[in-house]
């Protein structure tokens, strides 16, 4: 008896019941009542939503390659013949006619496949007695979720994690009295599937994914579930396992598919799932848990953020969200920020996993919104905004690999639809890397997706300085993307500018019936960045000098940004913008963020116009649009406005009357609605952007600090040029700044407060506006305009610029 008790105590210890207390917890005193209240765990490949119901636990399972359809592209070559006619109509200003023609002729039969849920694991407990002391949490410091409660005098605990190191999901069930763990295990699935139980007490859910848009489902999957009990009996009844009177039970869930890559599905799902499971079973629970958390700590613990803590931390997470707006709970912002980092590590973990979809790797619906695929006119890119600056560069690799795939699949689209070299890509893709237009022309006829997607590769270089990556991975992709635009850019007749046509400003109409246009501002900005990055890469690598020269000439002819009748940055080539327009997309502000073309110091006229545009657009929005606006207000150096957007984002998605709007579900998932993960990532990036910016040729410390965060500290944010930055501030002023230089080179710092270096050497005050030597900005010309009214109102705070020559691997300390 003593031995058994000891074992239980030991297991409780292993399951982390007495794990160190942390503020990095989402916690609740009731189980999840629906999917948006369940808690996400993930290892980049396997995702699960844990509900925590005492009587019947539901674990909704995802594996990242379980998608409908199969290999193939959606290029419709018939589109080719109509494009010149659409452009001709646009150049003749017959906009609606052009739009109608595009609507009739631009389509694809395959509008993309869907990411599908594997199914559910149900743990059914016979003990339905009344529960007291209920508690559940998600500890994002260790990437573990747990449930605790008392029933019939027994304290029960459950612990869940999706192991980074063993590649399985592990559930551990314990009680503080021996022989109290009894349950049955079963599975269900909404696709063509069957469940069986083998002699070795392994449940095997196997199936094949769905057909969609005429493409038959070809992904075969196996989910294997094996309970390992200490004490008790195990028996099989049809497709279920029953466990009686065990002391503890550890359940291993292994899922795999036949997917090898976007062209190859010749894998053996069972062999893969089985070998992963067998290997995982050789590792004892304590080691598995330790390995998992240690792996995760390597990434998660690189950054810490303290914006202050109030007594609100005592409240449950749902109460905190309800009280946030107008309250005083700065720690909820740090938690939300770190939750974004948790989600990125858990849904896009390097190496070898797929990029995070519209829902990361968490989807419970057989027909999810927008197929839970990749929308690339903002959403997929936004998912990766926090990857570099919050020190998770490795997590951007799955996205980069997706772009590499698209640079291959998109060749056919470039050739067949545009008669062009290079690769073409539009506003959606899926695991099969489709690259043709998707849906109708209203959102699908946008050939600039490749230019935006390529930007991440360049950014990865700016932060890492990795020339091998630049040469072997980035350059082949961006060079071929540039070639596509060299071939398709057209001279518009009014000014002789080079423009993309037909295209659009994503999903937005400039006339009642016209989205299709030529020379949308965002397109001009995207192509400008792409060509600039290609030229700079060719220069750095000392290759293709004549190609780079030809791009220089083309770049000069791209349509410039323009300022319209309302002092706004024009969204289109014509001055169509309306001050009453509150559309969720703010595409023309790409030039302000994530790009660096618009700057208060280099282009104050455009900066003022961008600000005016954002004021007209208003704050009210949902999900990703709010996340984008946090970043934009940060770039506009207005921390209080950015904070206001964070307040909107952290408002309860479910209103008191039960209706759902934008904001945050109680599990901290962003509501578009329904759940869309881009808003989480966008806001996470925005919080970092309020504290540190490096897009303008210098590192701006505390550029947009709101009054609410007057005191605080942050450790481990990354700046372009490979500088790791930590800071402490008091009364809104920097107290201590630490710069760790990974690559060496000049570090140019902009600060609102004068700085002193610890040993007073090598701190050079600079007066020029030149860029730091590693990171140069893409300079654009200010538009020639007569109205400068709004510019006159632009008042910039006094700042101090310093040049610090650094050496790789050295750390530099500064004080107020
Ligand atoms: C874009 C947005 C929608 C939605 C979808 C997934 O098309 O306009 O709001 O977020 O992506």
């Amino acid at each position: 008896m003593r031995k058994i008790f000891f074992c239980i105590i030991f297991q409780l210890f292993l399951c982390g019941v007495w794990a160190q207390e942390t503020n990095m917890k989402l916690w609740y005193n009731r189980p999840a009542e629906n999917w948006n209240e369940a808690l996400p765990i993930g290892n980049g490949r396997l995702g699960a939503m844990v509900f925590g119901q005492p009587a019947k636990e539901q674990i909704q399972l995802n594996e990242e390659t379980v998608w409908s359809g199969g290999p193939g592209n959606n290029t419709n070559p018939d589109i080719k013949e109509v494009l010149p006619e659409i452009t001709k109509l646009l150049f003749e200003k017959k906009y609606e006619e052009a739009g109608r023609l595009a609507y009739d002729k631009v389509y694809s039969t395959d509008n993309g496949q869907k990411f599908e849920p594997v199914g559910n694991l149900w743990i059914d407990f016979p003990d339905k007695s009344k529960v007291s002391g209920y508690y559940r949490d998600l500890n994002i410091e260790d990437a573990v979720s747990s449930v605790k409660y008392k029933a019939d005098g027994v304290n029960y605990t459950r612990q869940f994690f999706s192991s980074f190191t063993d590649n399985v999901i592990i559930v551990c069930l314990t009680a503080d009295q021996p022989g109290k763990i009894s349950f049955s295990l079963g599975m269900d699935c909404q696709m063509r599937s069957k469940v069986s139980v083998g002699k070795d007490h392994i449940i095997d859910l196997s199936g094949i994914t769905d057909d969609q848009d005429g493409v038959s489902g070809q992904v075969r999957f196996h989910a294997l579930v094996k309970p390992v009990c200490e004490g008790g009996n195990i028996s099989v009844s049809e497709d279920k396992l029953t466990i009686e009177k065990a002391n503890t039970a550890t359940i291993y869930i292994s899922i795999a598919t036949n997917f090898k890559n976007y062209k190859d599905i010749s894998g053996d799902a069972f062999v893969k799932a089985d070998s992963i499971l067998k290997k995982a079973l050789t590792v004892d629970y304590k080691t598995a848990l330790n390995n998992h958390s240690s792996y995760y700590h390597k990434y998660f613990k690189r950054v810490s953020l303290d914006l202050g803590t109030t007594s609100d931390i005592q409240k449950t997470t749902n109460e905190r969200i309800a009280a946030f707006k107008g309250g005083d709970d700065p720690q909820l912002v740090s938690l939300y920020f770190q939750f974004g980092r948790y989600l990125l590590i858990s849904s896009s973990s390097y190496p070898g996993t797929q990029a995070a979809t519209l829902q990361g790797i968490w989807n419970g619906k057989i027909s999810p919104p927008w197929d839970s695929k990749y929308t690339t006119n903002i959403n997929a890119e936004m998912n990766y905004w926090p990857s570099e600056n919050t020190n998770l560069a490795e997590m951007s690799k799955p996205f980069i690999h997706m772009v590499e795939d698209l640079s291959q699949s998109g060749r056919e689209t470039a050739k067949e639809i545009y008669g062009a070299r290079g690769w073409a890509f539009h506003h959606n893709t899926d695991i099969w890397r489709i690259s043709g237009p998707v849906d109708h022309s209203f959102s699908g006829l946008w050939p600039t997706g490749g230019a935006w997607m390529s930007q991440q590769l360049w950014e990865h270089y700016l932060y890492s300085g990795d020339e091998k990556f630049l040469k072997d991975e980035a350059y082949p992709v961006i060079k071929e993307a540039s070639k596509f635009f060299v071939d398709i850019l057209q001279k518009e007749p009014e000014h002789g500018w080079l423009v993309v046509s037909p295209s659009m400003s994503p999903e937005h109409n400039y006339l009642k019936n016209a989205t299709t246009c030529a020379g949308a501002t965002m397109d001009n900005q995207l192509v400008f960045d792409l060509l600039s990055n290609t030229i700079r890469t060719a220069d750095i690598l000392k290759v293709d000098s004549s190609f780079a020269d030809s791009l220089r000439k083309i770049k000069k002819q791209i349509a410039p940004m323009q300022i319209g009748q309302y002092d706004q940055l024009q969204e289109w080539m014509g001055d169509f913008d309306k001050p009453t327009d509150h559309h969720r997309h703010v595409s023309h502000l790409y030039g302000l963020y994530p790009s660096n073309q618009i700057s208060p110091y280099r282009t104050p006229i455009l900066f003022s116009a961008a600000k005016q545009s954002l004021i007209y657009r208003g704050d009210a929005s949902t999900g990703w649009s709010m996340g984008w606006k946090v970043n934009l207000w940060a770039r506009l150096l207005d921390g209080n406005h950015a904070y206001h957007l964070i307040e909107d984002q952290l408002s309860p998605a479910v209103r008191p009357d039960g209706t759902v709007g934008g904001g945050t579900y109680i599990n901290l998932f962003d509501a578009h609605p329904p759940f869309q993960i881009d808003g989480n990532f966008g806001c996470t990036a925005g919080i970092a952007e309020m504290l540190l910016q490096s897009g303008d040729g210098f590192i701006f410390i505390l550029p947009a600090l709101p009054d609410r965060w007057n005191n605080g500290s942050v450790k481990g944010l990354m700046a372009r040029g490979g500088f790791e930055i930590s800071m402490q501030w008091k009364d809104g002023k920097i107290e201590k700044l630490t710069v760790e230089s990974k690559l060496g080179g000049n570090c140019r710092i902009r600060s609102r407060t004068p700085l002193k270096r610890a040993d007073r050497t090598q701190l050079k005050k600079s007066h020029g506006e030149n860029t730091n030597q590693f990171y140069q900005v893409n300079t654009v010309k200010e538009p020639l305009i007569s109205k400068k009214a709004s510019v006159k109102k632009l008042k910039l705070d006094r700042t101090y610029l310093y040049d610090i020559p650094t050496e790789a691997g050295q750390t530099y300390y500064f004080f107020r």
Side-chain angles (χ1 to χ4, degrees), residues 54 88 137 210 241 276 286 304 312 426 553 577 610:
K88 184 169 167 283
D137 73 17
D210 288 324
L241 280 174
I276 293 171
K286 180 185 175 193
S304 58
D312 275 27
H426 296 79
K553 285 194 193 114
D577 305 57

Side-chain angles (χ1 to χ4, degrees), residues 320-331:
R320 292 177 77 180
I321 297 167
F324 183 73
K325 197 170 187 169
D328 183 19
D329 189 3
Q331 203 276 339

Side-chain angles (χ1 to χ4, degrees), residues 358 370 375 377 379 507 584-585 624 672 676:
L358 285 169
W370 291 283
T375 308
N377 58 18
N379 319 82
E507 304 190 31
R584 65 193 179 286
H585 283 263
W624 57 264
H672 184 35
Q676 211 169 281

Side-chain angles (χ1 to χ4, degrees), residues 459-470 721-722 743 774:
E459 287 287 320
H460 187 68
Y461 167 71
L462 289 182
Y463 280 89
S464 65
D466 183 347
E467 270 193 36
K468 187 171 170 353
F469 166 80
L470 189 67
L743 305 168
F774 181 84

Side-chain angles (χ1 to χ4, degrees), residues 83 406-407 410-426 435 437 445-452 454 476-490 499-503 523 527 530-531 534 547 551 554:
L83 295 182
L406 287 165
S407 74
R411 281 172 182 271
E412 179 199 351
T413 309
K415 191 160 161 242
E416 300 290 325
I417 296 186
Y418 296 94
R421 297 169 301 160
W423 59 283
F425 173 56
H426 296 79
S435 50
L445 185 49
W446 182 68
T448 333
W452 198 345
S454 300
V477 169
I478 62 178
K479 179 182 170 184
E480 294 302 310
S482 286
K483 277 190 192 161
F484 171 69
F485 289 101
V486 169
D487 287 1
I488 68 148
L489 285 173
Q490 306 189 46
V499 294
V500 179
S501 177
S503 186
D523 279 354
V527 178
L530 175 68
L531 300 193
T534 311
F547 177 61
L551 296 188
I554 291 170

Side-chain angles (χ1 to χ4, degrees), residues 31-43:
E33 281 162 13
N34 57 57
W35 194 90
N36 289 310
E37 298 190 351
L39 294 171
I41 55 170
N43 65 1

